DNA sequence: TAATAATCCTACTATTCCGATAGGAATAGA
DNA sequence: TCTATTCCTATCGGAATAGTAGGATTATTA
């Protein structure tokens, strides 16, 4: 429970690595090597980071990936959600105001509070901080 | 990511239900019915809650489960860990002081902070609060 | 003592998700 | 045209999860 997938951990390692190369590009293979990530697997991860606009890419020879933004302006929540989608501790929270599963679902606000706590932590941590940590 | 297993959700619903019956016992079948949990599945969950000392049980006719303690003295962290074991967002944190995976693992303190945030939230919420929420 | 109602125990199954790999198409530079 | 890269799609094995099945054990009660 509450464990981060390998995919998310890889994404974060790759991003912290990229963040330490201002303006320069790095190939997926290079990131994979220096961060001990399966190269082919990382390709798929970088794709997700790209569609969400966190990184930019250049194809062909001398291509690679580059930060799309100042790491100080990227929150860890953005990275996590780029990989996993919206954080949702329980299905219960999918509906706006009521729990569809059980009448008088007492734990609902407990789960809401948990989600809130996690979201807050993640959104207040910048990629810059983490990559320097 | 960070999603709670059905098992944990069931455990929490069952516990909040039990907590609202001071000193009285309820059978697994009864809890299952009122909380929409598969009855046989719940049996296994109650077993885990018992070995960790959160509930007591009585076998035979008129048997059932009962809170072992005042719900005000049970934290949600205790329930979660009874079901899932120690919360561990990343394998990285298994070793005390260094990350075994990558040299100079920058995200390590980020993950530590996250674990800490979650643990704190869960340990400060009592079953009593949640069952009344 | 027999019937009943409950916990407790063990095994099985089906499905889904995850991590990873494979092979190649498109693209850009030299 | 060769090479190095991103990009795309398909597949696979294994692990975990959710749930089911069947019965052994234990206590109450009539």
């Amino acid at each position: 429970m509450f464990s981060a997938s390998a995919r998310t951990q890889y994404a974060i390692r790759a991003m912290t690595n990229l963040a330490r190369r201002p303006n320069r590009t790095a190939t997926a293979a290079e990131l994979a090597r220096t961060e001990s990530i399966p190269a082919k697997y990382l390709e798929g991860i970088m794709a997700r980071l790209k569609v969400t606009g966190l990184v930019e890419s250049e194809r062909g020879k001398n291509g690679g990936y580059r930060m799309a933004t100042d790491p100080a302006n990227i929150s860890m929540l953005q990275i996590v959600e780029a990989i996993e989608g919206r954080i949702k501790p329980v299905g219960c929270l999918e509906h706006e105001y009521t729990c569809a599963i059980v009448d008088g679902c007492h734990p609902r606000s407990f789960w809401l509070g948990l989600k809130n706590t996690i979201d807050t932590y993640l959104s207040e941590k910048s990629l810059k901080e983490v990559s320097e940590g």
Side-chain angles (χ1 to χ4, degrees), chain A residues 23-120:
Chain A
N23 301 324
R24 285 185 300 127
T25 70
T27 67
E30 195 177 346
L31 292 172
R33 197 172 351 98
T34 59
E35 293 291 342
S36 306
I37 301 170
K40 269 297 195 181
Y41 195 49
L42 181 58
E43 286 186 12
I45 293 169
M46 298 311 293
R48 300 195 194 201
L49 294 171
K50 189 187 171 182
V51 297
T52 51
L54 294 177
V55 303
E56 291 166 349
S57 68
E58 219 107 356
R59 300 177 74 164
K61 198 159 187 180
N62 299 340
Y65 296 92
R66 161 189 347 108
M67 298 297 308
T69 319
D70 183 352
N73 295 327
I74 296 182
S75 75
M76 295 308 285
L77 183 62
Q78 285 178 274
I79 300 176
V80 168
E81 288 189 340
I83 300 301
E84 313 240 3
R86 212 6 137 327
I87 293 172
K88 215 177 294 155
V90 293
C92 191
L93 301 184
E94 276 167 20
H95 310 75
E96 271 317 298
Y97 295 115
T98 58
C99 170
I101 301 172
V102 185
D103 265 12
C105 177
H106 293 269
R108 196 180 136 85
S109 73
F110 161 73
W111 290 120
L112 274 173
L114 176 60
K115 173 177 165 45
N116 216 49
T117 300
I118 295 174
D119 277 0
T120 299

